């Protein structure tokens, strides 16, 4: 009895008794939320990302001008009328930035969705069935991953006509191998567990086993990996548009707004043309990465937070 009392005291040192009871009674979602909130940078990043997404979605309402309309002087400096100045042909930079964020977010989300669906389906098939299916899918995955990533994207962008939906499809079909390998590894472990073997013995349908039993137990790593794919897709779109192989003018994207900064005159004397889109790309990508790091720790069952 004396040992038990000492053990309890050691556990509760520095802890409030009510807080311990609250933690013991909280749900899985509440536990994740609590752990996520411990990452202050991630909480700030989530607020910044929410603000930027809201600004992009409300662009038709809050943009002062039409993004494609010539409303001022060529390469006009920031002033009371044009807060971020005008571009080389007199369009309002602030209005184009708001609409450019919509394009970058659309590309990132859609490319991530496509690559995640492809990777999850192929990973489930390879991990669950194994043998021939596993060998064929994994060798194809290794072949895709053996090509230099940026070179593969550039070649695909050059072969197909540059445009918004072509870029989304290219990035979606190039980013899936990492998710496929991740899902396959998790499925190989889950396939040997007793609850999956019990479902097989009970004669449960294959679809139920894959999508109701195995997939929910792999959602956490998929979600974390998807955040990195989202950030990477947005960077790839910006790079391709900067090189003229992505979203084509007059449609505004953060990448093609940076395209005009290739001139030394623009870089040195007209910073309002390249600093705002560059800062937005940095803010979006850093926010998503910080959120992904926090989610990884929050969803880790071994975390002590």
């Amino acid at each position: 009895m004396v040992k038990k009392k000492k053990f309890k005291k050691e556990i509760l040192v520095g802890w409030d008794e009510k807080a311990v009871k609250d933690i013991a009674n909280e749900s899985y979602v509440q536990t994740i939320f609590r752990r996520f909130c411990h990452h202050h940078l991630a909480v700030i990043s989530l607020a910044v990302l929410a603000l930027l997404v809201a600004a992009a979605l409300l662009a038709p309402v809050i943009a002062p001008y039409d993004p494609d309309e010539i409303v001022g002087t060529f390469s006009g400096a920031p002033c009371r009328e044009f807060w971020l100045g005008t571009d080389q042909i007199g369009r309002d930079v602030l209005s184009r930035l708001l609409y450019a964020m919509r394009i970058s977010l659309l590309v990132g989300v859609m490319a991530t969705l496509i690559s995640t669906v492809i990777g999850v389906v192929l990973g489930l098939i390879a991990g669950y069935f194994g043998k021939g299916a596993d060998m064929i899918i994994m060798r194809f995955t290794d072949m895709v991953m053996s090509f230099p990533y940026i070179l593969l994207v550039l070649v695909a962008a050059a072969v197909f006509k540059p445009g918004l939906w072509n870029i989304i499809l290219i990035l979606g079909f190039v980013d899936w191998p990492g998710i496929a390998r991740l899902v396959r590894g998790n499925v190989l472990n889950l396939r040997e567990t007793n609850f999956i073997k019990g479902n097989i013995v009970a004669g449960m349908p294959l679809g139920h086993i894959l999508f109701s039993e195995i997939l929910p137990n792999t959602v956490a790593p998929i979600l974390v990996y998807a955040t990195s794919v989202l950030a990477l897709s947005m960077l790839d779109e910006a790079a391709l548009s900067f090189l003229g192989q992505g979203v084509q003018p007059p449609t505004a994207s953060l990448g093609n707004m940076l395209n005009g900064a290739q001139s030394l005159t623009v870089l040195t004397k007209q910073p309002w043309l390249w600093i705002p889109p560059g800062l937005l790309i940095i803010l979006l990508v850093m926010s998503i990465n910080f959120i992904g790091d926090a989610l990884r720790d929050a969803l880790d069952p071994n975390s002590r937070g």
Side-chain angles (χ1 to χ4, degrees):
M1 292 296 291
V2 175
K3 287 185 179 179
K4 278 190 176 181
K5 285 181 182 178
K6 285 183 179 177
F7 180 69
K8 284 184 179 179
K9 283 181 181 179
E10 286 175 5
I11 288 179
L12 296 176
V13 166
W15 287 81
D16 179 70
E17 190 174 348
K18 185 178 181 299
V20 173
K21 287 181 180 178
D22 290 342
I23 291 173
N25 295 327
E26 67 185 8
S27 66
Y28 179 62
V29 174
Q30 290 173 326
T31 302
I32 292 173
F33 180 74
R34 176 174 54 79
R35 289 174 176 174
F36 183 88
C37 290
H38 285 170
H39 294 259
H40 301 302
L41 272 177
V43 174
I44 296 170
S45 298
L46 185 61
V48 170
L49 184 62
L51 182 63
L52 293 177
V53 170
L57 293 176
L58 296 174
V61 177
I62 63 178
Y65 300 97
D66 185 291
D68 301 327
E69 184 183 356
I70 298 173
V71 292
T73 58
F74 296 169
S75 301
C79 60
R80 185 178 298 177
E81 187 179 0
F82 306 108
W83 291 2
L84 294 178
T86 57
D87 66 6
Q88 294 93 330
I89 60 173
R91 296 171 298 190
D92 181 50
V93 172
L94 175 59
S95 300
R96 289 183 65 76
L97 273 178
L98 293 172
Y99 279 87
M101 276 198 298
R102 301 180 93 191
I103 296 297
S104 294
L105 289 167
L106 176 65
V107 170
V109 171
M110 292 302 296
T112 302
L113 185 62
I114 292 170
S115 61
T116 300
V117 170
I118 295 173
V120 166
V121 171
L122 293 179
L124 283 173
I125 294 171
Y128 186 79
F129 293 103
K131 298 180 181 178
D134 184 28
M135 185 184 71
I136 292 170
I137 292 173
M138 285 300 104
R139 295 299 75 76
F140 179 64
T141 302
D142 292 339
M143 182 182 71
V144 174
M145 295 185 76
S146 66
F147 289 100
Y149 176 81
I150 191 64
L151 181 62
L152 184 61
V153 172
L154 285 170
V155 169
V159 170
F160 299 99
K161 185 179 178 181
L164 174 61
W165 290 103
N166 282 346
I167 293 303
I168 289 174
L169 292 174
I170 288 169
L171 295 177
F173 283 105
V174 167
D175 287 334
W176 62 265
I179 296 178
R181 291 171 70 93
L182 177 68
V183 173
R184 172 185 174 268
N186 279 276
V187 173
L188 286 174
N189 290 328
L190 290 169
R191 191 179 62 178
E192 304 303 321
T193 57
N194 290 331
F195 79 95
I196 295 298
K197 290 181 178 179
N199 276 275
I200 296 172
V201 172
M204 290 293 183
L206 178 61
H208 173 82
I209 295 173
L210 288 176
F211 296 104
S212 297
E213 299 292 342
I214 293 178
L215 185 58
N217 287 284
T218 61
V219 165
I222 292 171
L223 186 62
V224 173
Y225 194 88
T227 58
S228 65
V229 175
L230 175 60
L232 183 62
S233 297
M234 294 176 68
L235 282 174
D236 289 338
E237 181 277 322
L240 289 171
S241 297
F242 176 78
L243 295 171
Q245 297 294 324
V247 178
Q248 299 298 297
T251 302
S253 81
L254 296 176
N256 64 28
M257 288 185 73
L258 285 170
N259 183 269
Q262 297 182 38
S263 164
L264 185 61
T265 303
V266 173
L267 284 172
T268 56
K269 297 183 179 179
Q270 298 168 350
W272 61 88
L273 295 179
W274 60 272
I275 289 179
L279 284 176
L280 274 181
I281 291 172
I282 293 171
L283 277 175
L284 286 168
V285 172
M286 286 185 66
S287 297
I288 292 168
N289 283 334
F290 281 132
I291 292 169
D293 289 343
L295 279 176
R296 179 197 60 208
D297 295 338
L299 293 168
D300 184 4
N302 297 318
S303 175
R304 299 181 63 184

